[in-house]
Amino acid sequence: MNANDRKITGFTMAGHAMVHTYELSVPIMMTVWLVEFAANSATLGTVVAVGYGLFGVGALPGGLLVDRFGSRRLIVACLVGMGLSFLLLSIAPGIVGITLALGLWGLSASVYHPAGLSLISKAVDQRGSAFAYHGMAGNIGIAAGPFVTAILLVAVDWRMAAVILAVPALLAALAGLTVEFDETAAVAATDGGRHTADIDSFREFVSASRGLFTVGFATVFALVLFNGLYYRGMLTFLPEMLGEFLEPLVDIAPEEGIGPIPDGRLAREFDLAQYLYAGLLAVGIGGQYVGGRLTDTVSVERGLALMLGLLGVIALLFVPAAGTLPTLLLVSVALGFVLFAMQPLSQATIAKYSPPERRGLSFGYTYLAIFGIGALGASIVGTVLTYASTTAVFVLLAGFEGIALALALSLIVRE
């Protein structure tokens, strides 16, 4: 990589890691909010769905803003907005304040993916390496978010933890304003630096959207939507459910090697389930690597169907496996590995069923499905967890993947 490539890769890696660090810190904080605000899972699931929903819904207009204002400005605005949202979260007086803070986070974070991916595609000569590092940074953020948040909650209360978490995004924004790089270096090498947006009006947007939604792409859109419901529903309440599973299996006393844990807030917030949650997300780094290799060795439709089938089976096995500690650890590792092995396969499938000239628009729509509509998974699972049972939650999640699997099989049939 040349100097420009390295600067942009480092900048986008920082942005991608920050987005997912904040995204996955929220489920850990929810375990505290459930107690502090005496809220049930249905209420908090809906509150979190607001922020996660805006995270997805904003991706489509975010892509249009990138074409008009450039990637650097949008990424810096994203980082500043995320930092300010967590500062606002730290002074939230109750559920309404948390909702507003998470809504600001969702709007701010929503522009990152179209901005970051566009910047790499237009400015980096060695795009393959840059995309690889960019993806790894995102997975590191996914694992670091819950782990760092859990560590902070042992030492400080959740409000101070939110303040501390806000600092890295603000520092990254400052770095983005000061570092020098060429946003169109790769484009300049091919067309003299001229770049115009493909879509300049609402009429062109509607026309391009109609052309994009072939039967194949519509099937992929629906497939990633149901997988998004599984992803968000699973990850949002998994720390709470893991805590329920671990309670009868693990009895941690102060004399057993982890040091004294005082009564009160620290004792309540120290939760082994949070560390198990962070660990299964860390396993996803290896899953993404394997999923990426599979895209080069098998048809993406068959690889996708395999992963969807495995995720459905894992959901059905989770509650029975939670009966012993070894099997709970095994099923948790399997979930983390397969869930993120899905990502490169789904991205390759989206690319296959969309024309190159509309690739940005296609990812805008699919991010809308995965993170926007998929955010309803948090609300749905929270409601089921409140009024039904944990077993019903995992059966519901398996149902989401069963529908997605049927759609993947329809793609295989049409091959």
Side-chain angles (χ1 to χ4, degrees):
M1 287 187 174
N2 58 38
N4 195 66
D5 287 1
R6 290 193 296 271
K7 290 178 181 179
I8 290 172
T9 301
F11 178 47
T12 54
M13 286 176 68
H16 199 202
M18 287 292 97
V19 167
H20 290 296
T21 294
Y22 293 126
E23 177 196 6
L24 273 299
S25 70
V26 172
I28 299 299
M29 289 192 173
M30 281 180 64
T31 62
V32 181
W33 297 336
L34 283 165
V35 175
E36 181 160 334
F37 297 106
N40 60 34
S41 296
T43 299
L44 275 183
T46 302
V47 167
V48 171
V50 171
Y52 285 158
L54 291 172
F55 178 34
V57 170
L60 192 55
L64 300 177
L65 289 173
V66 169
D67 289 333
R68 184 170 298 275
F69 297 108
S71 291
R72 183 204 292 263
R73 292 181 182 178
L74 267 294
I75 295 174
V76 169
C78 163
L79 292 166
V80 171
M82 291 193 300
L84 292 178
S85 71
F86 267 63
L87 290 178
L88 178 61
L89 182 64
S90 72
I91 60 173
I95 295 297
V96 174
I98 290 174
T99 304
L100 292 174
L102 293 182
L104 175 60
W105 172 81
L107 284 174
S108 302
S110 68
V111 302
Y112 176 75
H113 285 96
L117 296 173
S118 175
L119 179 58
I120 292 174
S121 67
K122 292 188 297 184
V124 176
D125 289 325
Q126 296 186 23
R127 295 175 188 172
S129 297
F131 279 127
Y133 289 127
H134 181 263
M136 290 173 63
N139 276 272
I140 290 171
I142 285 169
F147 182 75
V148 171
T149 304
I151 292 292
L152 287 174
L153 290 177
V154 174
V156 298
D157 66 21
W158 71 268
R159 295 182 184 278
M160 181 55 66
V163 172
I164 295 170
L165 287 169
V167 173
L170 298 176
L171 292 177
L174 180 62
L177 289 172
T178 56
V179 67
E180 294 293 332
F181 56 75
D182 183 354
E183 284 196 46
T184 59
V187 175
T190 58
D191 66 1
R194 296 183 301 274
H195 176 71
T196 57
D198 290 332
I199 299 173
D200 296 317
S201 68
F202 181 73
R203 179 175 295 181
E204 290 182 6
F205 170 74
V206 172
S207 176
S209 297
R210 288 175 177 171
L212 176 63
F213 273 85
T214 61
V215 173
F217 183 79
T219 301
V220 173
F221 179 86
L223 185 158
V224 298
L225 187 158
F226 280 101
N227 187 62
L229 291 171
Y230 180 100
Y231 174 90
R232 187 61 67 206
M234 178 70 82
L235 293 188
T236 300
F237 286 98
L238 193 56
E240 179 185 349
M241 293 186 290
L242 286 173
E244 294 176 0
F245 294 143
L246 283 169
E247 186 174 358
L249 301 177
V250 180
D251 182 19
I252 300 178
E255 63 270 15
E256 288 180 342
I258 61 172
I261 300 174
D263 293 332
R265 176 183 57 78
L266 292 183
R268 184 175 69 250
E269 290 175 359
F270 182 84
D271 188 350
L272 186 61
Q274 296 174 352
Y275 300 100
L276 175 57
Y277 181 71
L280 73 87
L281 293 175
V283 172
I285 298 173
Q288 188 176 50
Y289 173 79
V290 171
R293 292 298 300 268
L294 282 176
T295 62
D296 296 326
T297 57
V298 300
S299 74
V300 290
E301 297 89 350
R302 294 179 187 276
L304 198 61
L306 172 63
M307 295 302 167
L308 289 168
L310 288 174
L311 286 173
V313 170
I314 288 169
L316 293 175
L317 292 178
F318 214 102
V319 173
T324 69
L325 185 59
T327 53
L328 177 59
L329 294 176
L330 181 62
V331 76
S332 298
V333 168
L335 173 64
F337 187 89
V338 179
L339 189 62
F340 291 99
M342 267 283 302
Q343 288 190 354
L345 288 161
S346 63
Q347 290 167 358
T349 306
I350 293 164
K352 180 175 179 178
Y353 286 88
S354 61
E357 66 274 14
R358 298 295 181 221
R359 195 61 50 73
L361 183 63
S362 69
F363 277 101
Y365 271 115
T366 50
Y367 273 112
L368 169 65
I370 296 168
F371 292 133
I373 304 173
L376 292 174
S379 182
I380 294 170
V381 167
T383 300
V384 173
L385 195 59
T386 299
Y387 298 107
S389 65
T390 303
T391 299
V393 166
F394 283 98
V395 171
L396 172 68
L397 293 171
F400 289 152
E401 292 299 62
I403 296 171
L405 175 59
L407 292 167
L409 293 175
S410 74
L411 291 174
I412 295 173
V413 170
R414 287 202 297 267
E415 274 189 287

